[in-house]
């Protein structure tokens, strides 16, 4: 089903030179309003294709569009009449116009929860919201980015979907590959949480545990792309990365639409590679440029776990470069020691008047429990990071409690039960009698 064009002609170019500006499939590629790839460093343009680095300067490539010009009110109406998924924003994404009719998981349009009880607990006097992306088909935000990568993989004629993953991405790729008719083969560090390993395997694709860190997995995948073995393989976050990354813009679009087409004052975003954060910023700018929201200042706050906080460390030291670290944290979904978009995260936090902060594993667990007991949302460890960082920044007077703030929860707590299991359990285990219940001290 995926191989609409001969896969081998496309992938040979991919496999031999990841920075290649030419791809046999590019002339016939229909990815909607996407017209080219452009270098984020030097601005050089490259035809749409499965490439991720600029041939001129090796800078990272991103998707360039000819976005619909004209009446913002008409565009707003079109979006509002669209499906309850990321496909309502199809005109702003690198996907064909009929994308919603193709077999896929239809992710997105998750809840934006007005978190009044959490606000009271944190001393927030303005509006506080949690964007709860645990409601996606595989229970993490990764379904958004993978859905876009699948469309690129179809367009370029790939037959196998792959990725290097800290866990959630592997599950999202496995699940998306199934209905779309791709073979999948995904790579993870061998020591991930059981929930993530099982979810990555259950959809029937190949799952390979690598003895090493995520950064080792990523290096291995780069080698695989350069080898004949990798012919016909679309790696969502490597050779399809420019397309994949665009999926994160939908978080920005949804937050603004759900707020009544309004940009929040402050957004707290988790950082692994930093891709999501940079594309939320890109999405906000696009909404402003299209006249869909009022042009007003917003501040972006980046959140990391202390045990893997290379971006936070660089921010605090006033550096522009991010020094790689070896991760040691329970927050495995954010455990990328050498984040590709780290310098861009620093730039956005500084430019918007935001900040980069980190929290300890203990504060992560506290954050998970705080969100659960105030709002009934069970977040994975990455959600504990954003809630924990929001609390820390409010306590420090860095986040303004009087403004409208959105905290993003990117995944489901059922995937990281180990984080809270040691400190969470039954209040008592008793015989089935009223006396025993009274004795347990719970009869009030
Ligand atoms: C992948 C992931 C992120 C963000 O990753 P980036 O690489 O920074 O885009 C955030 N939270 C969870 C749960 C994830 O799986």
């Amino acid at each position: 089903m995926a191989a609409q064009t001969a896969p081998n002609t496309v992938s040979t170019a991919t496999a031999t030179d990841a920075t290649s500006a030419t791809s046999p499939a590019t002339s016939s590629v229909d990815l909607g309003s996407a017209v080219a790839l452009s270098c984020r460093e030097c601005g050089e343009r490259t035809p749409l294709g499965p490439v991720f680095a600029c041939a001129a300067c090796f800078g990272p490539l991103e998707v360039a569009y000819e976005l619909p010009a004209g009446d913002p009110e008409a565009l707003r109406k079109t979006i509002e009449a669209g499906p309850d998924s990321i496909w309502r924003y199809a005109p702003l994404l690198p996907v064909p116009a009929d994308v919603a009719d193709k077999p896929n998981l239809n992710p997105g349009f998750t809840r934006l929860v007005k978190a009044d009880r959490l606000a009271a607990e944190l001393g927030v006097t303005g509006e506080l919201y949690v964007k709860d992306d645990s409601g996606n088909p595989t229970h993490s935000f990764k379904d958004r980015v993978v859905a876009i990568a699948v469309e690129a993989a179809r367009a370029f004629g790939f037959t196998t979907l792959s990725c290097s993953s800290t866990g959630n991405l592997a599950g999202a790729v496995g699940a998306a590959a199934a209905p779309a008719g791709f073979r999948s083969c995904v790579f993870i560090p061998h020591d991930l949480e059981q929930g993530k390993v099982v979810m990555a395997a259950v959809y029937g694709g190949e799952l390979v545990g690598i003895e090493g860190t995520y950064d080792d997995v990523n290096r291995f995948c780069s080698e695989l792309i350069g080898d004949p073995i990798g012919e016909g393989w679309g790696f969502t976050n490597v050779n399809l990365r420019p397309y994949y990354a665009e999926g994160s813009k939908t978080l920005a679009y949804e937050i603004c639409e759900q707020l009544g087409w309004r940009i929040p004052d402050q957004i707290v975003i988790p950082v692994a590679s930093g891709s999501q954060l940079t594309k939320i910023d890109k999405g906000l700018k696009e909404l402003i440029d299209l006249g869909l929201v009022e042009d007003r200042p917003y501040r972006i706050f980046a959140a990391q776990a202390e045990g893997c906080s290379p971006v936070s460390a660089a921010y605090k030291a006033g550096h522009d470069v991010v020094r790689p670290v070896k991760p040691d944290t329970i927050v495995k979904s954010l455990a990328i020691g050498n984040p590709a978009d780290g310098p861009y995260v620093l730039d956005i936090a500084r430019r918007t008047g935001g900040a980069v902060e980190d929290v300890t594993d203990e504060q992560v667990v506290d954050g998970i429990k705080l969100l659960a007991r105030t709002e009934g949302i069970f977040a994975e460890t990455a959600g504990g990071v954003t809630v924990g960082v929001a609390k820390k920044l409010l306590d420090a007077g860095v986040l303004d409690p009087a403004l409208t703030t959105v905290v993003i929860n990117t995944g489901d707590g059922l995937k990281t039960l180990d984080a809270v299991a040691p400190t969470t359990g039954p209040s008592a285990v008793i015989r089935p009698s009223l006396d025993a219940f009274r004795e347990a001290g719970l009869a009030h």
Side-chain angles (χ1 to χ4, degrees), residues 141-142 168 270-276 333-334 380 382 410:
F141 115 93
K142 286 297 193 300
N168 283 319
V271 168
S273 73
S275 174
Q276 177 185 120
S333 55
L334 303 183
E380 79 138 82
T410 45

Side-chain angles (χ1 to χ4, degrees), residues 337-423:
N338 188 11
D341 282 295
Y344 296 105
V345 171
L346 289 172
D347 182 51
I348 291 167
R350 288 178 179 139
R351 174 169 53 73
T352 65
V356 189
E357 188 51 276
D358 56 85
V359 282
T360 64
D361 284 358
E362 203 182 332
Q363 289 169 318
V364 169
V365 173
D366 289 346
I368 292 173
K369 290 183 174 177
L370 175 61
L371 183 61
R373 77 177 154 77
T374 53
E375 300 299 334
I377 297 171
F378 184 21
E380 79 138 82
T381 46
V385 168
T386 48
V387 172
V389 162
K391 179 172 164 35
K392 189 169 174 180
L393 292 175
L394 281 161
D395 291 347
V398 178
L399 266 173
D400 188 333
L403 298 178
T404 297
T405 305
V406 175
V407 175
I408 300 183
N409 170 40
T410 45
D412 193 324
L414 289 173
K415 291 197 192 189
T416 58
L417 285 175
D418 290 353
V420 286
T423 55

